[in-house]
Amino acid sequence: MKRYGLSSLFYALSFLAPCGIVVASFFMLSMYPFGDRAVSVWDLQITYTYFYEWFRDCLAGNQNIFYSFSKSLGGNMYAGWSGLLTSPINWLILLCGDNPMDFVTLMIVLKFGLAGLTSYFYVRRRFALSRPISLCLSVCYSMMLFMTTQSANPMWMEVVILLPLVMYGVYCIVHRGKVVFFYVSLLATIICNYYNGYMVCLFSIMFYLFESYLFVPQAKRVRAGIMVNPGRFSIAFSLAVFSSLFILLPTVLGLLGGKGAVPGGLFTFEFRYDLNDLARSFFLGVYEKEQLPQMYCGTLTLICAIWFFLSDKIGKREKVAAGVFIGFMVFSTWYAPFDRIWLGLRDGNSFYCRFTFLVSALFLFVAARALSVG
């Protein structure tokens, strides 16, 4: 009973610690509800606030979720709902007052806390680290630079919450042959945000190959080269994608012809930023308008990730695999054609390298692995 209580306490702390940091930041910066400054800038101010008010009217029965006459002369609203409002967290708007900032503030704080909770779950279950160390890593992950920047674009915060669950689902397939956790977590990711869900789908394939490659020396029976349980992964992956078609198809049809087409062609040879600035991307202070990838995920995570490649307790095979994987992801932020593939065969509008949360997740993996061997 005492052990169960201690476990519950640390799970609670993994949620409350990021929430407390965000609330304290709002207080020190005199942001709403502690001052006149607000987090509603850029897309949050221009787009989200109005959609949240419309969604509250839909839940109250005053608007139709499929069609709205308030959209110019009338138009389809399903694509807007499926692109911005499918997260269950949005239902909390019913508990807030008429001021949309009440809901926005609550939602942002909760999303930081949930990212800490899911990453704590992943680190504890995947690497069996001690509770205090797992808590520290989960706080680093939840407070990654991508999350703080995307507070002004809340629909992109869901994927940071769900990604550790997808990664643990891959682990379950490779090490235990169980597919349900992966199927449910990947499906939830696509439903909550189809755009980032697409990125996670690509990443999950590579992460499956990565986990399989690491597990092959331990596996007693591997029938397909470096892949472990490839059939189960393929079936679970396909089922998750097909199960989400009720979201994907109407959304894609509703958004055809939108912004992001590449005038010079998808594989135009160009680069996103000067390589001399790459090192800055792993530290605080990178502003999104600079168009540098935001890969900072905490100083502790960065130090432990470096230790991963220096430690004598980690084999060369594992270091090479992790180095190639991370190197490819970082290269994708620099080489424009690869960046466009990650962005759904489109060009980013005003903000490139939108998949850097995946790099931060890999840093979490290698940092946890380094700490697991001492």
Side-chain angles (χ1 to χ4, degrees):
M1 182 64 69
K2 183 178 180 180
R3 184 178 179 182
Y4 175 78
L6 187 62
S7 176
S8 300
L9 173 63
F10 272 90
Y11 271 106
L13 287 174
S14 69
F15 173 80
L16 294 174
C19 290
I21 293 173
V22 175
V23 172
S25 299
F26 284 175
F27 177 77
M28 289 186 291
L29 295 172
S30 299
M31 299 182 70
Y32 187 88
F34 304 107
D36 297 330
R37 302 174 67 184
V39 72
S40 56
V41 295
W42 306 325
D43 288 350
L44 183 54
Q45 181 181 27
I46 298 170
T47 303
Y48 284 89
T49 302
Y50 301 104
F51 267 99
Y52 290 142
E53 292 176 341
W54 168 79
F55 185 58
R56 181 176 57 195
D57 290 339
C58 288
L59 296 177
N62 300 323
Q63 289 280 0
N64 190 313
I65 204 169
F66 296 101
Y67 195 90
S68 175
F69 286 100
S70 62
K71 179 182 179 182
S72 299
L73 297 177
N76 171 31
M77 294 296 292
Y78 190 83
W81 169 78
S82 60
L84 299 174
L85 301 169
T86 49
S87 170
I89 297 175
N90 292 327
W91 285 70
L92 293 176
I93 197 170
L94 292 172
L95 304 178
C96 300
D98 294 333
N99 186 351
M101 282 307 303
D102 293 338
F103 167 68
V104 168
T105 303
L106 174 63
M107 170 189 62
I108 289 174
V109 172
L110 288 178
K111 288 185 178 183
F112 275 98
L114 290 172
L117 180 63
T118 58
S119 55
Y120 177 84
F121 170 86
Y122 172 67
V123 171
R124 279 285 292 168
R125 293 293 186 93
R126 171 64 178 85
F127 300 99
L129 294 175
S130 69
R131 294 184 180 93
I133 291 178
S134 299
L135 177 62
C136 291
L137 287 177
S138 69
V139 172
C140 288
Y141 175 83
S142 65
M143 302 304 298
M144 70 171 71
L145 187 55
F146 180 90
M147 277 284 277
T148 56
T149 302
Q150 300 313 319
S151 297
N153 201 4
M155 73 173 181
W156 289 358
M157 298 175 74
E158 252 82 15
V159 69
V160 179
I161 298 171
L162 293 167
L163 180 58
L165 304 182
V166 174
M167 294 169 68
Y168 183 69
V170 172
Y171 170 80
C172 288
I173 292 178
V174 173
H175 288 253
R176 304 173 186 172
K178 298 181 179 180
V179 301
V180 175
F181 200 99
F182 175 72
Y183 164 75
V184 173
S185 58
L186 184 61
L187 175 61
T189 303
I190 299 172
I191 291 176
C192 283
N193 187 267
Y194 73 93
Y195 183 64
N196 295 118
Y198 158 79
M199 301 176 193
V200 173
C201 284
L202 294 184
F203 177 78
S204 67
I205 296 173
M206 291 187 289
F207 191 70
Y208 160 74
L209 294 174
F210 175 64
E211 281 276 26
S212 293
Y213 182 76
L214 298 184
F215 184 61
V216 162
Q218 307 172 41
K220 296 180 179 179
R221 296 171 59 191
V222 179
R223 298 180 179 179
I226 67 168
M227 294 187 288
V228 182
N229 297 322
R232 297 188 182 189
F233 174 81
S234 301
I235 291 173
F237 181 91
S238 301
L239 285 176
V241 173
F242 280 111
S243 299
S244 65
L245 287 181
F246 75 98
I247 288 287
L248 290 178
L249 285 181
T251 304
V252 171
L253 293 175
L255 296 179
L256 285 177
K259 297 181 290 184
V262 185
L266 178 65
F267 293 103
T268 303
F269 189 80
E270 58 182 309
F271 304 100
R272 291 301 191 202
Y273 53 88
D274 189 333
L275 270 183
N276 293 325
D277 295 324
L278 176 60
R280 293 174 53 212
S281 302
F282 299 100
F283 297 93
L284 278 174
V286 177
Y287 182 56
E288 71 162 6
K289 296 303 181 182
E290 295 180 272
Q291 301 303 348
L292 291 177
Q294 300 173 329
M295 295 182 284
Y296 177 75
C297 189
T299 304
L300 173 64
T301 306
L302 180 60
I303 293 174
C304 293
I306 295 173
W307 175 246
F308 171 89
F309 292 101
L310 298 177
S311 175
D312 295 332
K313 298 180 180 180
I314 297 175
K316 182 179 178 181
R317 173 191 178 92
E318 190 171 349
K319 291 178 182 178
V320 170
V324 169
F325 197 179
I326 294 174
F328 172 78
M329 297 299 296
V330 173
F331 179 77
S332 296
T333 69
W334 178 61
Y335 186 51
F338 283 12
D339 180 44
R340 294 183 186 120
I341 293 174
W342 283 104
L343 301 187
L345 308 182
R346 312 281 283 182
D347 225 348
N349 180 40
S350 77
F351 180 39
Y352 302 112
C353 307
R354 302 180 180 186
F355 57 93
T356 51
F357 63 93
L358 299 173
V359 182
S360 296
L362 286 179
F363 273 100
L364 175 70
F365 179 95
V366 295
R369 176 66 178 129
L371 289 169
S372 69
V373 299

